[in-house]
Amino acid sequence: MARVAFVTGGTRGIGRAICERLKNDGMAVAAGYSGNEAAAEACARELGVMVVKGNVGNFDDCKRAVDLVAAELGPIDILVNNAGITRDGVFHRMNSEQWSDVIRVNMDSVFNMTRQVIEGMREREWGRVINISSINGQKGQMGQTNYSAAKAGVIGFTKALALENAKKGVTVNCIAPGYIDTEMVQAVPEKVLESIISQIPVGRLGRGEEIADMVAFLAGEHAGYVTGSTLSLNGGQLMAG
C-alpha cells in the first residue's frame, strides 16, 4: 500500500511543490489549507491530491483534518508541518496579536498536528515527521522576532521529539529553507529582493522543487538513519550572513 502523507499549507508555494513531488513518488497525499479556495481547487484538480480545509492553530481543527484524511486515504505515515505566516514589525512596536498569530500558526500548529499522528506512528513502528523551519530561525532577522522565535522553536521541538521516538521507527527532521521563489517572496519590493539575492552566495533564490526533493528523501524508506537533523537549504546564505 502507498504511504499516506499530509502536508500542511500544501496548496501553494513550497507546500504545493512538496505535494507534487510526494504524489509523483507514489504516495497518497493530502494538502491542508486555511482559506484560499481557488488555490485549493487548482491543487486538487491539477495534482490529484486530497485537500482539507482547517486552521492549524486550532487543536480540534487539526484532529478533524487528520480524521478526514485517515477515513479517505488511511492512517498518516508522513506529516510535513509546512504551514506558516508572517506578521512582521520591529519588536518595540509589535502588538500582542502580531506575536500570538505567528506563534499559533507557526509553532503551536506543529504540536497540534503532530500530536494527532504520533501515537499511530509509534504503534505501527514507522513514521516520518518533517518540520519546515527557516534560515531566520537559525540566524534571526530584524523585524521578525515573532517569526524567528517560532521557527527556532520548531528546531528544538524536532530534536526533542526525535530522541523520544528514535527506537520506535519514527524519524523527526527539520528543513530550514532560505529565500525561496514563492509568491510571498516575489511580493517583496524589487530593490529589497535584489539586496537579498546579493547576500546569497549561489546568486539566486531557491526553488520550491529543491525543498521538495529534500522532503522526499526524508520521507522515504532509505532515510531511517536520519533523525533530529536540521538541513539548511539556503544557497550558502547562512555561512555568508
Side-chain angles (χ1 to χ4, degrees), residues 121-141:
M121 290 179 177
R122 287 171 60 89
E123 288 167 5
R124 295 187 299 276
E125 297 190 337
W126 200 96
R128 302 284 188 261
V129 178
I130 302 163
N131 300 316
I132 307 300
S133 179
S134 167
I135 186 175
N136 292 341
Q138 297 175 298
K139 73 177 185 61
Q141 176 62 38

Side-chain angles (χ1 to χ4, degrees), residues 147-162:
Y147 184 82
S148 294
K151 291 301 189 179
V154 168
I155 294 172
F157 174 97
T158 297
K159 292 177 180 179
L161 193 66

Side-chain angles (χ1 to χ4, degrees), residues 3 27 78 126-130 162 166 169-173 213-229 231:
R3 297 289 189 190
M27 298 178 191
I78 300 149
W126 200 96
R128 302 284 188 261
V129 178
I130 302 163
V170 179
T171 67
V172 188
N173 290 290
D213 286 343
M214 187 57 67
V215 170
F217 167 71
L218 293 175
E221 304 295 332
H222 301 295
Y225 203 58
V226 183
T227 196
S229 295
L231 305 178

Side-chain angles (χ1 to χ4, degrees), residues 134-135 138 155 174-178 211 214 229-239:
S134 167
I135 186 175
Q138 297 175 298
I155 294 172
C174 193
I175 295 174
I211 308 301
M214 187 57 67
S229 295
T230 298
L231 305 178
S232 298
L233 280 76
N234 55 52
Q237 187 180 0
L238 187 60
M239 294 187 298

Side-chain angles (χ1 to χ4, degrees), residues 8-190:
T8 69
T11 61
R12 293 189 294 166
I14 292 172
R16 177 170 166 140
I18 293 169
C19 287
E20 183 171 9
R21 175 58 192 271
L22 296 183
K23 175 73 173 178
N24 289 342
D25 283 355
M27 298 178 191
V29 179
Y33 74 104
S34 61
N36 191 322
E37 300 290 349
E41 290 172 8
C43 185
R45 181 178 66 254
E46 294 166 10
L47 302 186
V49 303
M50 178 182 181
V51 294
V52 185
K53 185 175 182 178
N55 175 9
V56 290
N58 181 284
F59 187 84
D60 291 336
D61 260 23
C62 292
K63 182 179 188 310
R64 181 189 61 80
V66 167
D67 288 345
L68 286 171
V69 173
E72 182 163 332
L73 304 179
I76 293 168
D77 302 298
I78 300 149
L79 173 65
V80 183
N81 286 308
N82 169 71
I85 62 170
T86 56
R87 296 287 185 270
D88 293 351
V90 290
F91 185 76
H92 61 276
R93 295 196 181 98
M94 185 175 291
N95 61 45
S96 61
E97 288 78 16
Q98 287 172 292
W99 176 269
S100 298
D101 287 352
V102 168
I103 296 298
R104 184 171 61 252
V105 174
N106 294 23
M107 179 77 247
D108 291 352
S109 64
V110 178
F111 169 80
N112 292 342
M113 285 299 303
T114 309
R115 185 64 185 85
Q116 314 299 335
V117 302
I118 195 67
E119 290 185 69
M121 290 179 177
R122 287 171 60 89
E123 288 167 5
R124 295 187 299 276
E125 297 190 337
W126 200 96
R128 302 284 188 261
V129 178
I130 302 163
N131 300 316
I132 307 300
S133 179
S134 167
I135 186 175
N136 292 341
Q138 297 175 298
K139 73 177 185 61
Q141 176 62 38
M142 290 181 61
Q144 287 195 328
T145 51
N146 48 6
Y147 184 82
S148 294
K151 291 301 189 179
V154 168
I155 294 172
F157 174 97
T158 297
K159 292 177 180 179
L161 193 66
L163 288 171
E164 290 183 9
N165 292 280
K167 291 183 179 180
K168 286 292 187 179
V170 179
T171 67
V172 188
N173 290 290
C174 193
I175 295 174
Y179 288 88
I180 307 301
D181 191 5
T182 61
E183 291 177 24
M184 183 171 67
V185 171
Q186 287 294 350
V188 172
E190 185 175 352

